[in-house]
Amino acid sequence: MLSKEFIKMNLTGKNKNEILEEMVDILDKGGVLNDKEEYLRVVKEREATSSTGLEEGIAIPHGKTKAVKKATIAFGKSETGVDFNSLDGEKARLFFMIAAPEGTTDEHIEMLSKITNKLLNDEFREKLDNAKTEDEIIKLFNSVEKKENEATIKRDGYVVAVTACPVGIAHTYMAADSLINKALELGVDIKVETNGSVGVKNELTTEDIKRATGVIIAADKSIDMDRFEGKKLIQVPVKEAIRIPEELINKTLNGEGTIFHSSSKKESKTTAKNEKTGAYKHLMNGVSNMLPLVVCGGVLIALSIALSGIKAGAGADVTNPFLKSMLDLGVTAFGLMIPVLSGYIAMSIADRPGLAPGLVGGALANTAGAGFLGGMVAGFAAGYIAKWVKNWNVPAGLRPIMPIFVIPLVSTGLVGILMYFISSPISGFMNALTNVLKGMQAGSIFLALILGLMISFDMGGPINKVAFLFGSAMITQGVPEVMGPIAVAICIPPIGMGLATMIGGKNFEISEREAGKAAFAMGLIGITEGAIPFAAADPLRVIPSIMTGSAIGAVIAAIGKVTDHAPHGGPIVLPVVDNKLMFIIAIVVGSLITAIMVNILKKIKK
């Protein structure tokens, strides 16, 4: 599918859009497109979902549409490279554009897999980078194809593997190809199942699993594990299959790993070690499913408030019927955010039986005002309770109704009882905090510091609500000096995390970098919840960073005697703020501190 007429050795585009247009031109001149503009639109639409920039200077933009006559690959090289929002943050130099006609199942995904398989070879990639002519490119691909076809199985044993990443685009297939490539090199018989964006491909059969010497699970999201009952498993994050495929294959063939038991009560040290990865995987399953609600809800709320404005003493003033409907849609999406987080954490732990108790636990956390931290607690509690009930040894007659009746009913009831006992202490705690704040002097630096820490700690949770409601009450009593530092602290978490993804792209996944743009926009409108996906995914590094930035911003606002006459925050309240310059300085300084601190902490982690 790659010939000389579809190769261009000196791309001249200076940015992502110019490169895409230039690559589409190559395909169009080769006569494989019915509608050039339509194909370009589809490719750009695909890029808007998540960038196809991978790592090591490689990008594989692709599109599947009726505007394509026949499946074709175009290749182009850029000497200087362009910013392509790649996974590693580096400029892309080598571009493969895949054009697939509609109605060809998932041919473009198979072509993508084929290309990434070759590009995982460092020697091949280096030769491709150094090639000067179209003939060299064709010869290079042909020589690799020949070498792959000549490979023979030399070692005893049969390895099966499953690869899966939360987004299901790049790492899923790169991990699969890395394992397959290394197995060919070692002469090992292997079969790899991919759980990607197009669903399960190359699914492992019961016979495959039964015959396998061992199983490699390279996944960052929930997959069907019960089928591996009694098999030796090696469980790692998906990136490990890209980084150390040989080590994983050798360990599997040598009989290393932990025997998997879905109802095992005793866990070996290896299993305990993998449970840490498991907890993170469950959390990320919740975060990745919650993220669309945060973005769409936040953007709808932000637009409706931005187009309506803020009134002194009243806050957001949305009266236009259309904008009110937009606001209601956004609020509805935000209302589902915590239940979805909890539900999908629980589902990752206990599979489908965990979804109902997780959703209910998240809804109860919302009602109790427990915020995203309460939602996380509810999700993990629901998941492990459902898993426990799922493993009950029940009579054979009850087994058919366990997943649809017994497990959801019992686990939902237990989660409800748990959340009931949690909600009462939260209410008492909120009242106690309010009384403490009332005893502090309005306008003091210490009060501003405490309010800044409270606002950013749980972003919509009970501690945040106490601080916000206290500031709002003070406005009605003619003391707007309290709301000034709060208005600054409210917007620093989302603006700071948005800046963090812009200045330290390498430290964030593609989905996080996209969420960073939405978070920044939400911060401008004073929606603290825009930072929740980052805090939920990495609380130990994100929460201290946003608390530090918000606290410093609030203190600067107090020193500058910033006052806010509306119960709202962020730059949108600027018209009703006194001492506007200090208000802006406080936001800028606090946001930069958050952005810099979180990137430093993430680099230390790496």
Side-chain angles (χ1 to χ4, degrees), residues 127-138:
K127 287 181 179 177
L128 191 63
D129 220 355
N130 294 330
K132 302 297 182 187
T133 66
E134 292 85 349
D135 287 325
E136 286 182 62
I137 299 292
I138 297 295

Side-chain angles (χ1 to χ4, degrees), residues 5 10 41 63 151 256 284 307 315 318 320 442 464 514 527 551 564:
E5 64 193 297
N10 55 340
R41 185 192 65 78
E256 297 181 40
M284 287 308 298
L307 295 172
V318 184
N320 179 282
N464 169 284
E514 293 302 315
I527 303 174
D564 176 16

Side-chain angles (χ1 to χ4, degrees), residues 83 128 133 143 189 233 243 271-272 283 296 316 327 336 359 483 488 490 512 591:
D83 182 5
L128 191 63
T133 66
S143 64
D189 191 6
L233 259 63
R243 194 174 66 84
T271 306
L283 180 59
C296 77
L327 177 65
L336 293 170
L359 289 170
M483 196 66 197
V488 168
I490 280 172
E512 290 179 311
S591 301

Side-chain angles (χ1 to χ4, degrees), residues 56-60 75-78 92-96 119 125 128-129:
E56 305 291 347
I58 296 156
I60 312 181
F75 171 75
K77 286 180 66 176
S78 169
R93 304 179 312 281
L94 306 175
F95 300 91
F96 293 86
L119 295 174
R125 200 169 54 248
L128 191 63
D129 220 355

